[in-house]
Amino acid sequence: MVRTKTAAAGVAALALLLMASAGTAFAVRTADQPTPLATPMPTPMSTPLADGARLSASPGERLTFTLPASLPGKNGNRVVSEVFVAPGTLRMNDPVVTAVATVACDTPPGVYPVRQTGPGGPAEGAGGEPWVSVEVADIGAAERAACPGKVAALPPEQPEEHWPAGRSWPQSPWDVRTFRPGEEVTPTASDASAGYGDTLTSPGFTGRAVMRGAKAVVTAAATIRCDAGPGLYEVRWAGGDEVWARYRVADSAEQNSPACRDRAAEPSPWRTPWPAAGTAAALAVAGVAAYAVARRRRRPR
């Protein structure tokens, strides 16, 4: 009886050891994670500007230009003027579209036109009807001397856009939605940028996402990796370098999400992987040995 118990204990210990090693073999390798970014700075909201409106500003001041989100074709257009340090870009910031631009420090006092152009329009908005105007005030010598430092201290413009939750993702390369580890997402393309069978890749996906559907609208099914750390991720077409979409992975601990399992990492029920097959064979051999010992103890002498 003692030998029988010893053999059974040995089988149990061997089984635990082999299952532990198999678990290690199946562990999902952590993908390279992007550096988590700070929480995006919210863009100031305001009432949409009416055509012909006049804004007041001082050199070095940052202005916000706002349009109704219902106006089609405005997202991505530029807001330009000869007095801006750089053109502003209209971005969806539901429920409005906004752009920010900073008045240059060397701007003389006066009234200056502001225009809207397409994404590749001129930097100073030459030609075309003015949209609104900016009245730049005069400032003293000391304030003008301190202006460059004031402009340098301004926070950088955040390119992330915030689209209504009901719209398909992505509406643009900077339509950043937030997903949880293990969440299933549906990238959707409704233009000529994708076709049936095209593949999307991202370090935060469990695998490649293949587009399916009609010619006008194609979609893919993707799952966020369970080991995807919080931060900003990029999506590209397989074999391409241009970023097609971006998304943010939330901290699963902060989201109180349930336990996550990567489907791509689970073994197929129709095929036993090598480590699992080895474990089964070892357990079978150990079981036969234990059975032989038990029979020998019970055999009459």
Side-chain angles (χ1 to χ4, degrees):
M1 179 64 68
V2 174
R3 290 184 180 178
T4 303
K5 290 184 178 179
T6 302
V11 171
L14 178 60
L16 291 174
L17 178 61
L18 290 171
M19 285 189 291
S21 63
T24 302
F26 284 122
V28 179
R29 182 179 179 183
T30 303
D32 295 334
Q33 300 298 335
T35 303
L37 300 183
T39 302
M41 179 188 68
T43 303
M45 296 290 187
S46 62
T47 303
L49 292 174
D51 291 349
R54 177 175 294 185
L55 290 76
S56 298
S58 298
E61 185 175 348
R62 176 172 285 179
L63 297 173
T64 300
F65 300 88
T66 308
L67 285 170
S70 58
L71 293 177
K74 295 297 183 181
N75 201 69
N77 285 353
R78 302 207 299 180
V79 176
V80 298
S81 176
E82 60 183 296
V83 301
F84 292 162
V85 173
T89 300
L90 288 167
R91 304 183 188 278
M92 174 63 74
N93 204 343
D94 185 47
V96 292
V97 180
T98 60
V100 295
T102 303
V103 179
C105 291
D106 58 354
T107 303
V111 178
Y112 300 88
V114 176
R115 294 177 171 86
Q116 294 183 50
T117 71
E124 295 186 358
E129 292 296 325
W131 169 37
V132 294
S133 60
V134 175
E135 184 175 2
V136 180
D138 194 9
I139 56 176
E143 191 175 356
R144 194 173 294 275
C147 183
K150 174 184 174 182
V151 171
L154 290 172
E157 180 187 357
Q158 295 296 327
E160 294 187 19
E161 300 170 3
H162 304 278
W163 289 77
R167 302 287 292 273
S168 61
W169 173 77
Q171 294 292 318
S172 77
W174 280 105
D175 175 14
V176 179
R177 312 284 177 102
T178 299
F179 305 124
R180 299 185 306 274
E183 184 175 354
E184 294 185 0
V185 299
T186 309
T188 302
S190 56
D191 53 25
S193 64
Y196 187 91
D198 289 347
T199 303
L200 293 170
T201 62
S202 173
F205 290 170
T206 56
R208 293 190 173 192
V210 181
M211 286 291 186
R212 297 285 187 264
K215 293 182 179 180
V217 178
V218 289
T219 63
T223 303
I224 305 301
R225 296 173 62 98
C226 289
D227 59 359
L232 191 68
Y233 289 76
E234 296 176 342
V235 181
R236 291 177 169 84
W237 294 107
D241 294 329
E242 185 178 355
V243 178
W244 181 69
R246 294 173 175 86
Y247 60 95
R248 188 175 298 278
V249 173
D251 189 335
S252 58
E254 294 179 0
Q255 296 291 325
N256 296 319
S257 60
C260 178
R261 291 195 307 172
D262 285 331
R263 292 184 178 182
E266 296 178 0
S268 169
W270 306 108
R271 183 176 59 187
T272 304
W274 180 86
T279 300
L283 289 176
V285 172
V288 171
Y291 177 73
V293 172
R295 287 201 61 182
R296 189 162 48 246
R297 291 293 300 162
R298 291 196 301 269
R299 182 179 304 169
R301 296 176 181 270

